[in-house]
Amino acid sequence: MRAARRNGRMSPYAMNDTAPTPPAASARTPRLWPLAIVLAVQASAIVMSLTPSVPNFPRFAALMAGPALSVLLFLVWLLGLSRMSWSERGTVFAAIALPLFALQPLMQEGANLALWIYGVPLAMLATAVALSLTRASAPGTRRKAIAALVLVGWIPFPMLRIDGFVGDYTPELSWRWSPTPEERMLAAREGAAPVAVTEAVAITLQPGDWPSYRGPVRNGRAAAPPVALDWSQSPPNEAWRIDVGPGWSSFIHVDGRLFTQEQRGEQEAVTCYDAATGAELWSSAYDGRFTEVVSGAGPRATPTFHDGRIYALGALAVLSACDAATGEVIWRRDLVADMGAVIPMWGASASPLVAGGHVLVYLDGANGRGLVAFDPATGEERWSKAWNGMNYGSAQPARLGGEDLVLFTHEEGLSALRPDDGSVAWTFLPSGWKTVPMIQPQAVDDDTVLVALGDGVGIARLEITRDGDAWTIEEAWSSTRMRPSFNDFVVHEGHVYGFDQSILTCIELETGERAWRRGRYGFGQLVLLEEADALLIAAESGDLALVSTDPSAQAELGRVELLDGKTWNHPIVVGDRVFARNGETAACAVLPGVVQ
């Protein structure tokens, strides 16, 4: 009783042995509303990454950074707001963190990132579901439910293979044990020898050939004859189809031969095929394999033909010069080992340009080098221009102000260079300029250039005047009416045709105003059939579509299935034949009869 008195007053608990204590942390009901906010943030990031109308870079940032922000908020909830016992908190942390690291050795090539961008959000969702179902249960029951549901959520990851992502960042999923198209191709080729090149016949440029990325002057215009436009009555006929190794290199065509780059196991290869039959004539391979989770494996750049040689840059920045007739290596340089080239996130992608007596490629600002000129005969460096930063564009020929120049986009804007010595004629930074450069600038005529402002940002028209050595560059207009990502545009009769992200769009060349926006072809590529007043589109799905260039309304004239799977490679047109490929298959289609 004495102990129960306080300042002469009797404690209300004097008759009890002990006073009541507050509920233990382990007995509290978990607080879930902050976790709901965390999941809403993650869901918003996923929705943003899958919305094609959002520019490509913000979508990619949402895909990668969304889990990081969500994990940070999740830890704030777990450690400070959840009201769970420390044993429950430890269970949650272990069920998410331990599998994240333990499963990495079991994942297929290049797919560890999937554990982060999909596995962690799924584990957080499983935690929320487990706590919702057992919120009023004993702590031990909650711990078991959390561990069971979260660990079950991790199980599918080693069983699935991510073959990459399509342009809207939807993953391409396959069962882990199913063979990849590359594995099937290699198995079919095992023991088979390529067609022998019996004699070194000189390969020379013929009228209508397609010797470089996007055509002879890299503007996506085909010198094909007028063709029938009613594919419902007379669709293109498939001439041949072959399996090829992964890669995003396009074809070039010279003197009846096709040249491209592809991945073959642990080797990158420059390959040559008979354009008439698809039969392989030669390949020139070297050790190296580049892969990343979005695009997959394989070279990115398209080869270039010049003066009997093929120049090609692999995804690991190996620059090769091969004899076009036989594939014999004339010289080959590993630009990482020799010059400290930096491999960008999605691989070295510069399609070599031969101009001013040099072979031009970009080295990502390595050791003070950006755009570099090499001697075509020896591969020795001749000059370089020190621009920095990731870059997936290629040097572009242009005749402006009466002078043959090379256009190149970089972090500081658009520059025009003299290809013989690398001197810069002018540099201009358009309003709204963003990196990373991907799209080829295009000289419309002697005083007009169109340039994309960045990945999914917009497009601008520049007016160029020259007075002696003085150049004046003015921005005529800048527009977000067309926002190409990595799909190029073409110009025809006062209008620009290209993609506003994944939707085909036509804008007026004079004003930048939109004429129409209609037709979903994913992140596909297009070629202008100038004589037919039509666009030939290789859709991201692999379909081949014909669309009128009528600026008054979008009109699809026909569509056929040509390739299966994600198709990002540019198609080419030589005469009445279309040559297209993706990371699995190549095919040739004959366009319907010539209109007389």
Side-chain angles (χ1 to χ4, degrees):
M1 295 293 293
R2 189 180 300 117
R5 291 184 179 275
R6 297 292 184 269
N7 298 324
R9 296 181 180 179
M10 181 71 73
S11 169
Y13 305 116
M15 302 303 295
N16 297 328
D17 293 333
T18 58
T21 59
S26 60
R28 293 178 182 174
T29 301
R31 183 186 286 125
L32 296 185
W33 65 262
L35 181 55
I37 294 176
V38 174
L39 294 176
V41 170
Q42 177 61 67
S44 299
I46 292 174
V47 170
M48 181 177 178
S49 71
L50 296 176
T51 305
S53 59
V54 176
N56 207 36
F57 184 76
R59 288 193 300 117
F60 182 73
L63 182 72
M64 297 300 175
L69 177 59
S70 299
V71 165
L72 179 61
L73 296 175
F74 183 84
L75 290 175
V76 171
W77 164 80
L78 180 65
L79 300 177
L81 300 175
S82 66
R83 294 199 306 197
M84 293 190 296
S85 69
W86 285 106
S87 61
E88 288 178 285
R89 297 174 193 181
T91 298
V92 171
F93 184 83
I96 294 178
L98 293 181
L100 176 64
F101 294 99
L103 292 178
Q104 293 198 29
L106 303 179
M107 299 297 290
Q108 94 277 10
E109 177 187 43
N112 287 337
L113 196 59
L115 294 172
W116 173 253
I117 60 179
Y118 294 119
V120 171
L122 181 61
M124 292 190 296
L125 177 61
T127 300
V129 171
L131 287 174
S132 297
L133 295 175
T134 62
R135 193 176 183 211
S137 302
T141 302
R142 291 201 297 260
R143 287 197 301 270
K144 292 176 183 178
I146 292 168
L149 278 182
V150 174
L151 293 176
V152 166
W154 285 111
I155 288 175
F157 282 86
M159 302 169 60
L160 294 173
R161 182 178 71 238
I162 296 183
D163 294 321
F165 292 76
V166 295
D168 64 2
Y169 289 125
T170 302
E172 301 174 290
L173 301 176
S174 303
W175 292 114
R176 176 73 175 270
W177 52 82
S178 63
T180 66
E182 181 185 8
E183 289 169 342
R184 293 195 297 267
M185 182 271 296
L186 292 174
R189 288 176 47 84
E190 190 171 357
V195 176
V197 180
T198 56
E199 55 181 324
V201 178
I203 305 299
T204 58
L205 200 60
Q206 304 298 316
D209 272 346
W210 196 280
S212 184
Y213 176 55
R214 301 191 69 231
V217 292
R218 302 192 173 199
N219 61 0
R221 304 168 77 93
V227 296
L229 299 180
D230 185 1
W231 283 10
S232 63
Q233 299 297 319
S234 180
N237 294 317
E238 183 179 305
W240 52 258
R241 174 183 299 268
I242 59 173
D243 293 331
V244 294
W248 305 112
S249 170
S250 301
F251 280 126
I252 62 170
H253 179 287
V254 181
D255 207 358
R257 299 192 180 194
L258 296 170
F259 304 89
T260 190
Q261 292 192 96
E262 52 194 281
Q263 190 73 43
R264 294 184 172 181
E266 297 305 313
Q267 293 186 315
E268 288 187 329
V270 183
T271 51
C272 173
Y273 296 93
D274 186 331
T277 65
E280 182 180 323
L281 299 179
W282 58 256
S283 68
S284 177
Y286 52 89
D287 292 342
R289 183 179 182 89
F290 175 84
T291 189
E292 42 83 15
V293 71
V294 174
S295 304
R300 274 66 174 139
T302 298
T304 295
F305 172 86
H306 183 77
D307 197 21
R309 295 181 179 183
I310 297 295
Y311 299 96
L313 182 71
L316 292 171
V318 174
L319 182 62
S320 302
C322 300
D323 185 279
T326 64
E328 178 185 358
V329 177
I330 299 169
W331 54 262
R332 176 167 285 153
R333 295 197 61 178
D334 183 337
L335 302 183
V336 173
D338 295 351
M339 304 176 71
V342 178
I343 306 301
M345 181 185 302
W346 293 303
S349 303
S351 299
L353 172 68
V354 180
H358 301 107
V359 181
L360 308 183
V361 297
Y362 182 71
L363 299 191
D364 204 14
N367 296 329
R369 300 179 178 96
L371 189 65
V372 182
F374 295 90
D375 187 314
T378 65
E380 296 298 317
E381 180 182 354
R382 290 295 175 243
W383 57 258
S384 64
K385 178 61 182 174
W387 288 308
N388 298 314
M390 286 193 298
N391 197 313
Y392 302 97
S394 304
Q396 177 77 14
R399 184 166 182 82
L400 296 167
E403 184 176 2
D404 290 325
L405 300 169
V406 167
L407 299 176
F408 192 72
T409 54
H410 49 88
E411 284 192 338
E412 301 171 18
L414 173 68
S415 290
L417 302 90
R418 299 177 180 89
D420 56 343
D421 61 5
S423 60
V424 177
W426 53 263
T427 295
F428 184 78
L429 184 67
S431 61
W433 186 256
K434 303 287 185 183
T435 55
V436 176
M438 292 187 181
I439 304 298
Q440 297 300 107
Q442 189 169 146
V444 178
D445 50 38
D446 194 63
D447 59 7
T448 304
V449 170
L450 290 176
V451 59
L453 300 175
D455 183 5
V457 177
I459 190 171
R461 171 178 168 165
L462 308 182
E463 297 298 327
I464 293 95
T465 54
R466 182 182 186 183
D467 184 7
D469 294 331
W471 297 81
T472 301
I473 317 300
E474 295 182 346
E475 187 173 303
W477 52 257
S478 179
S479 175
T480 58
R481 301 290 187 178
M482 178 181 290
R483 299 170 299 158
S485 180
F486 50 84
N487 29 23
D488 292 282
F489 52 82
V490 297
V491 180
H492 182 59
E493 294 186 352
H495 290 83
V496 186
Y497 301 86
F499 290 91
D500 185 34
Q501 294 290 83
S502 62
I503 303 176
L504 187 64
T505 302
C506 170
I507 63 175
E508 296 178 3
L509 176 61
E510 184 66 25
T511 64
E513 293 299 315
R514 181 184 292 155
W516 48 256
R517 179 179 182 267
R518 184 172 179 269
R520 294 183 180 272
Y521 300 94
F523 287 76
Q525 306 287 359
L526 54 78
V527 169
L528 173 67
L529 303 180
E530 189 171 8
E531 295 298 322
D533 291 324
L535 305 170
L536 190 70
I537 299 174
E540 187 177 26
S541 64
D543 287 355
L544 192 68
L546 189 70
V547 176
S548 170
T549 57
D550 183 352
S552 64
Q554 189 267 3
E556 183 174 290
L557 305 174
R559 184 191 288 235
V560 297
E561 295 181 3
L562 184 62
L563 301 174
D564 293 325
K566 178 174 66 185
T567 302
W568 287 346
N569 317 60
H570 287 72
I572 71 171
V573 180
V574 179
D576 63 351
R577 299 205 167 211
V578 179
F579 301 96
R581 62 156 295 190
N582 56 23
E584 305 177 17
T585 308
C588 170
V590 181
L591 294 173
V594 174
V595 177
Q596 301 297 329

